[in-house]
Amino acid sequence: MMKTKITLISAATLMSIVPLFALNNTAQAADNSVKKTVMHTAIAYDKDGNRTSQKYNAYSTVTVDSKPIAINDDQYYKILGKDQYLKTTNIDGVTRKITHNTYIYKSSSARTSYRGRWKLYRGETITTYGSSYKFKNGKSYFRVGGPRKQYIKSYNLGPVVNSDVESTSAVATVVRRAHVWTEIGPNKFENKLSDLKVGTKVLVDRLEYNRLSENSPQDEDTGMNFRYYHIKGTKNWISEEDVKVNKKVPFHNYNKEHYTYITFPKDTDVYNADGTIQDHNGQKISKQKGQLKVDKLVYIWVPSENKAELFYHLVGTSFYASTTPTAHWSTINVGHDAYVKASDVKFVYGVKLTPSNTAAEAQAAAQKNKLN
């Protein structure tokens, strides 16, 4: 059998851990509020996740409950004594990996330093706060520090790696023979280890909806696909249906944190990279409620309109057609370099993309190609 690490807990170790949990909980109960600095201008939400009219400016101080709570899969801090909740991303930030060597900026035309450095390199990680800003040059940037202005181009940053808001680990007890899945790549898993026996205890540090969840059965009570616990210090995962945990751990939705999804509220034309409409014998992508993945937001010059428009790049290549002259479910194949206008579709959830170029750059590229 392959000797892959699984974090197990002996009965003796568990006896020493449980009192520590109790001490921590007692301390929290005695004083469950902390002061936090808002790093990015934050809208307050109510307990149901609806926006309120209250806004908290960057670098203001707020008193919140020390432990964040989940509302609609997002993490929030509750303002002490108020029905107001602030997203943790505006306070603690999230971790992103730098994908291209990058400078730090204080404006669209001026650079600055960050912790004594003027340049950061691919492969490093950095904390960003809130959503991106669009500067005067039309490009988007994430705040990485303060109160001095410090920003990095969003183009040079990857999706969220993990949230900086993490609780301590939880003890998960196996209640039925549990499969162990090993992560062999980003969102890729194999069942390559022996099952865990009933009564086995493991340390878990997060709960996640991932590809395992998408292929798992649904819970009869909730109607939701099973989610999976990550075994701390390993690349291994176990289903939430197979264990009982002694406390909540952070919940993550892999798809929402790494991908971008749109839907088609109307029959939609498909475009090529040169701004021309694809010819599918009069058919378009049909109006639908399904959620389709996109991976890039870019300005493309549209010759027929004599202007640049924002487009999403489609990840899929086959879509339901708007008309079905020959079959009940006709499809059109759009190829691997197909785009739809951002104004024709609706963002559903996931990573909010920022344009990888400007309208002026798209126009200049089109004119250059025309001359060539």
Side-chain angles (χ1 to χ4, degrees), residues 96-100 102-103 105 126 128 130-135 137-144 151-160 297 351-357:
R96 297 178 188 271
K97 182 168 286 188
I98 296 172
T99 55
H100 300 276
T102 181
Y103 292 103
Y105 297 84
I126 194 166
T128 66
S131 55
S132 60
Y133 293 92
K134 182 174 285 188
F135 282 9
N137 60 4
K139 297 181 179 181
S140 296
Y141 298 72
F142 277 105
R143 183 189 295 279
V144 296
Y151 302 89
I152 289 179
K153 289 180 181 178
S154 58
Y155 177 77
N156 294 325
L157 296 169
V160 174
L297 185 63
V351 180
K352 288 191 175 181
L353 299 173
T354 54
S356 57
N357 64 346

Side-chain angles (χ1 to χ4, degrees), residues 232-250:
K232 186 174 182 179
T234 75
K235 292 185 177 181
N236 302 318
W237 301 75
I238 51 177
S239 172
E240 66 175 336
E241 68 169 329
D242 295 334
V243 298
K244 182 177 181 179
V245 296
N246 70 329
K247 60 180 292 187
K248 288 185 178 181
V249 293

Side-chain angles (χ1 to χ4, degrees), residues 254-261 347-353:
Y254 187 92
N255 291 339
K256 286 187 177 182
E257 294 180 357
H258 291 79
Y259 304 130
T260 304
Y261 292 86
F347 171 83
V348 182
Y349 65 76
V351 180
K352 288 191 175 181
L353 299 173

Side-chain angles (χ1 to χ4, degrees), residues 314-319 332-338:
L314 298 171
V315 172
T317 59
S318 182
F319 299 87
I332 56 175
N333 193 299
V334 301
H336 293 282
D337 198 22

Side-chain angles (χ1 to χ4, degrees), residues 70-84:
I71 302 176
N72 299 329
D73 292 345
D74 287 322
Q75 293 286 318
Y76 293 79
Y77 280 119
K78 183 181 185 301
I79 300 291
L80 192 65
K82 298 181 180 180
D83 182 26
Q84 294 180 2

Side-chain angles (χ1 to χ4, degrees), residues 180-192 208-213 215 228 230 235-237 254:
V180 179
W181 296 86
T182 299
E183 189 171 2
I184 59 173
N187 214 23
K188 296 180 180 178
F189 307 87
E190 279 188 4
N191 180 211
K192 51 198 299 186
E208 186 170 287
Y209 188 95
N210 49 37
R211 198 184 73 178
L212 283 170
S213 303
N215 297 321
Y228 286 76
H230 176 253
K235 292 185 177 181
N236 302 318
W237 301 75
Y254 187 92

